[in-house]
Amino acid sequence: MKGATKEPQENAASNLDAVKIKWFRHHLSIWGTQNLRDFPWRQTCDSYAILVAENLLQKTDAVMVVPIYKAFLLRYPTLENLAKASIDELRELLEALGLFFRAERLQKCARIILEQYGGKIPDSEKQLLELPGIGKYTARAICSQAFSQPLAVLDTNVARILERFFGLQGERVKSRCKILWGAAEIIAPNKEVGKWNLTLLDFGAMVCRAKNPLCNNCPLSAKCNYVQTQRNLESLKKT
């Protein structure tokens, strides 16, 4: 994938096979065309709406976010509305999502964008990372979904898929693991990376789940390192 950094790629490359990557992309993309979930923030390219969504989605189940996201945009349809909002009302609206500091971060983010960027959401990963509450995953999600930039993402769902399928062993904190970030960048296609990112997220939530993964109904099982390992263990138990 273009734009990927050298060092993490080199760390991951020894465990990645080009033929297997191509097979993985092909079969996962087919799954994605038939199974992507339909959320309201996926129906827009509006950078403000996506900025809001990605903040609300942090450490929160997507289904729970839907009604709050809709209510949020009705009450605060622009950066200006958010910047001038009552912090108590903002906290109350977001209370059900947890992360008590989320309201303050979102409002501070809006004010910085208005003051430093003329009210235009930055389209640079580097600039987004300077905003409060935005880490590498969130910055790249905004860039890929709002600005169609070819930037891969990595969260616990994506990390789990990569570790299982390719037999990678990431560090304990997946979001900071250079090996897994490098693998995510290598594996991502050069086109429609935004859709690819969503496919990985949904596949991890729906099929390659942390508990009780649906390996028997998984389109990747034929070449999955995790599935093969589990089958080998079952065979050993029977002998």
Side-chain angles (χ1 to χ4, degrees), residues 47-98:
S47 55
Y48 171 65
I50 292 172
L51 173 74
V52 169
E54 291 300 333
N55 273 275
L56 300 190
L57 287 164
Q58 292 176 5
K59 299 184 184 300
T60 310
D61 182 77
V63 174
M64 179 181 287
V65 170
V66 173
I68 297 174
Y69 168 81
K70 291 180 178 178
F72 188 102
L73 290 184
L74 281 174
R75 189 177 298 182
Y76 313 114
T78 67
L79 277 169
E80 290 80 5
N81 297 133
L82 175 55
K84 296 175 182 177
S86 160
I87 193 61
D88 290 333
E89 289 182 2
L90 195 54
R91 287 174 184 154
E92 183 179 359
L93 177 60
L94 302 182
E95 184 178 9
L97 299 180

Side-chain angles (χ1 to χ4, degrees), residues 19-34:
V19 174
K20 191 170 183 176
I21 290 172
K22 185 176 180 180
W23 189 93
F24 177 80
R25 284 179 186 158
H26 175 71
H27 287 272
L28 194 58
S29 295
I30 291 174
W31 182 90
T33 61
Q34 302 168 347

Side-chain angles (χ1 to χ4, degrees), residues 111-200:
R111 290 174 175 173
I112 291 173
I113 293 171
L114 287 168
E115 293 170 6
Q116 297 185 15
Y117 299 99
K120 183 179 179 181
I121 309 292
D123 61 359
S124 154
E125 178 184 355
K126 181 179 179 181
Q127 290 175 324
L128 287 166
L129 284 169
E130 295 173 354
L131 297 174
I134 294 185
K136 186 173 182 178
Y137 168 84
T138 302
R140 286 182 161 226
I142 293 169
C143 285
S144 63
Q145 301 306 322
F147 303 113
S148 299
Q149 295 179 13
L151 295 176
V153 299
L154 180 77
D155 73 346
T156 54
N157 277 331
V158 178
R160 183 168 60 252
I161 297 167
L162 300 185
E163 286 184 317
R164 285 177 174 172
F165 185 83
F166 291 99
L168 297 172
Q169 181 58 58
E171 298 165 9
R172 187 177 65 83
V173 182
K174 309 301 181 186
S175 61
R176 299 174 188 169
C177 179
K178 289 184 177 181
I179 291 175
L180 294 179
W181 269 110
E185 291 169 345
I186 293 169
I187 292 162
N190 289 324
K191 297 180 181 179
E192 296 188 317
V193 178
K195 183 179 179 181
W196 171 257
N197 290 341
L198 298 181
T199 299
L200 281 169

